[in-house]
Amino acid sequence: MAISQINTNSIGTITGINFADTESSSSDDNTLDDYEQGTYTPTITCSTSGTITVNGSYNVLTYTKIGRAVFITGYIITSAVSSPVGYVKISLPFATPDLSDTGGGGSIHCHITSMASANVGDAHFGTLEEGVAEFRMFLGDAINPQSDLANEFSGNETIYIGGVYITA
């Protein structure tokens, strides 16, 4: 597929790259008109109660947004906890779309080291819900996902995060 045009506004800055076979406006679905990269400071919250604090020296993740696709990567380290209960929610730099059809997802992979009492074989996995700027982490220590991952945190866990998801 050839690039048909680069759209510019009246003062000559690029407003998008159009991938359509014919000339169209910069708001066309075939126009790549959004690129951003940066860092953000995620927060961790517990679904039921308690707190999990992120270490201020290890609290930044990177992202690259190309069109609607957002790529995140990095790791964070917890520093302190206070009676954490439930599953774990980690914030994202952009919200997922609310398509009312579960089509607004993606894939986020997490690996946690130094858990207090979780077995090495227990799976930690994340899910994306529609219309929110967070992914949710559960503990797979039974037949179905369990909402008890937060209970396993004691401080000083390293959470490696990587993945891609769709934003609005």
Side-chain angles (χ1 to χ4, degrees):
M1 175 179 289
I3 299 173
S4 64
Q5 75 179 47
I6 297 178
N7 296 318
T8 59
N9 65 19
S10 61
I11 58 172
T13 59
I14 294 175
T15 59
I17 300 173
N18 191 297
F19 292 94
D21 291 334
T22 61
E23 188 173 323
S24 61
S25 71
S26 65
S27 62
D28 183 275
D29 288 341
N30 295 313
T31 301
L32 176 60
D33 58 359
D34 190 9
Y35 177 88
E36 180 180 338
Q37 62 183 0
T39 61
Y40 79 103
T41 304
T43 57
I44 300 176
T45 55
C46 305
S47 65
T48 304
S49 63
T51 60
I52 300 173
T53 305
V54 179
N55 181 324
S57 297
Y58 302 96
N59 64 345
V60 176
L61 297 176
T62 62
Y63 71 87
T64 301
K65 183 175 184 287
I66 304 171
R68 293 179 56 214
V70 180
F71 301 83
I72 62 170
T73 188
Y75 70 94
I76 55 179
I77 298 177
T78 62
S79 62
V81 300
S82 177
S83 305
V85 178
Y87 60 85
V88 173
K89 300 184 280 186
I90 299 179
S91 64
L92 295 169
F94 304 96
T96 58
D98 188 357
L99 303 176
S100 301
D101 65 357
T102 67
S107 177
I108 305 292
H109 174 76
C110 301
H111 177 73
I112 305 172
T113 63
S114 304
M115 295 299 295
S117 60
N119 295 321
V120 173
D122 291 344
H124 310 112
F125 63 95
T127 64
L128 290 160
E129 302 296 324
E130 290 192 342
V132 294
E134 69 187 22
F135 68 96
R136 299 170 183 179
M137 291 180 54
F138 297 86
L139 186 59
D141 58 352
I143 293 173
N144 295 311
Q146 303 297 304
S147 295
D148 59 356
L149 179 61
N151 311 30
E152 302 294 327
F153 278 77
S154 62
N156 203 37
E157 288 82 13
T158 302
I159 306 171
Y160 297 93
I161 300 169
V164 61
Y165 70 98
I166 301 301
T167 189

